[in-house]
Amino acid sequence: MENSTDFLIRFSRKLNYDDIKENNTIYIGPLKNKNKFLDYMNEKNKNLKIKNRLLTYKNKITKKDTIIDLQTVSQNKEYALVSRIKSTNEAERFLFFSDHDIGVIATVEYFTNKKNLKEFQSNYLKNNESFTAVFIVEGKERTNLGLELILVDNKGFD
């Protein structure tokens, strides 16, 4: 293990906004439940919002809006979102959202693979550390059978 450090695991319902704002945080959970982390992502990303299970993305460059219904695509496919939000106090939040296990499993696998992380950073982040990425994930029995990146926003953050 490269980074030997203690950390706490807590249920999100036991966190308050100060915890989210002041501490490094990893959240892995559903899109379908209204929670503080989804609210936090909506607050911090100026181009992308999730409300009533609809994702609205305002592309400032093309001046086109994209609306995605985040309901499960099919029995074996679903949307998954990953957002990394770095704040001015150097605290970071890494948020993984999907409705079922396969979406968060697939995106956590993707972002914990050093080769994938380096490639993603090179292709999509440039000098930006914060981003939100939207994927379609295909899987069965909690096994990732395919991951397709459909949208990345790294411009909407303060």
Side-chain angles (χ1 to χ4, degrees), residues 31-84:
L31 273 166
K32 58 188 167 190
N33 298 346
K34 188 154 176 65
N35 65 66
K36 291 176 180 122
F37 289 99
L38 196 53
D39 291 343
Y40 184 79
M41 187 193 74
N42 279 337
E43 176 188 316
K44 292 298 180 183
N45 189 326
K46 306 300 183 219
N47 297 334
L48 190 142
K49 301 288 180 231
I50 297 172
K51 185 176 180 184
N52 298 326
R53 316 257 312 132
L54 291 177
L55 178 146
T56 303
Y57 172 60
K58 297 183 179 297
N59 188 324
K60 303 286 185 183
I61 297 167
T62 64
K63 306 284 188 214
K64 291 186 180 182
D65 292 353
T66 301
I67 298 173
I68 299 171
D69 183 347
L70 296 173
Q71 301 288 338
T72 300
V73 178
S74 71
Q75 186 174 0
N76 297 323
K77 287 186 178 182
E78 72 171 334
Y79 289 100
L81 276 78
V82 178
S83 193
R84 178 180 186 233

Side-chain angles (χ1 to χ4, degrees), residues 3-156:
N3 299 319
S4 299
T5 187
D6 292 332
F7 60 93
L8 297 172
I9 297 175
R10 295 188 212 157
F11 288 106
S12 62
R13 68 180 176 269
K14 295 194 179 206
L15 294 174
N16 61 44
Y17 284 104
D18 284 337
D19 293 327
I20 296 169
K21 184 180 172 188
E22 299 299 325
N23 298 302
N24 292 328
T25 308
I26 297 174
Y27 172 79
I28 300 172
L31 273 166
K32 58 188 167 190
N33 298 346
K34 188 154 176 65
N35 65 66
K36 291 176 180 122
F37 289 99
L38 196 53
D39 291 343
Y40 184 79
M41 187 193 74
N42 279 337
E43 176 188 316
K44 292 298 180 183
N45 189 326
K46 306 300 183 219
N47 297 334
L48 190 142
K49 301 288 180 231
I50 297 172
K51 185 176 180 184
N52 298 326
R53 316 257 312 132
L54 291 177
L55 178 146
T56 303
Y57 172 60
K58 297 183 179 297
N59 188 324
K60 303 286 185 183
I61 297 167
T62 64
K63 306 284 188 214
K64 291 186 180 182
D65 292 353
T66 301
I67 298 173
I68 299 171
D69 183 347
L70 296 173
Q71 301 288 338
T72 300
V73 178
S74 71
Q75 186 174 0
N76 297 323
K77 287 186 178 182
E78 72 171 334
Y79 289 100
L81 276 78
V82 178
S83 193
R84 178 180 186 233
I85 304 168
K86 190 163 183 164
S87 68
T88 54
N89 69 351
E90 296 301 311
E92 294 184 45
R93 280 129 228 93
F94 223 128
L95 313 173
F96 296 83
F97 298 102
S98 72
D99 278 341
H100 304 290
D101 295 339
I102 189 57
V104 291
I105 289 170
T107 53
V108 167
E109 285 174 352
Y110 180 86
F111 281 99
T112 54
N113 177 295
K114 287 182 182 181
K115 181 181 175 225
N116 291 345
L117 198 54
K118 186 175 182 176
E119 190 175 291
F120 184 87
Q121 186 173 17
S122 173
N123 290 337
Y124 301 106
L125 297 187
K126 309 298 181 221
N127 296 323
N128 300 317
E129 295 183 89
S130 296
F131 70 89
T132 299
V134 181
F135 297 86
I136 291 182
V137 180
E138 182 176 2
K140 239 182 178 155
E141 297 176 6
R142 295 187 174 152
T143 302
N144 173 14
L145 300 175
L147 181 73
E148 178 187 353
L149 179 65
I150 60 171
L151 185 148
V152 177
D153 175 57
N154 62 6
K155 305 280 189 233

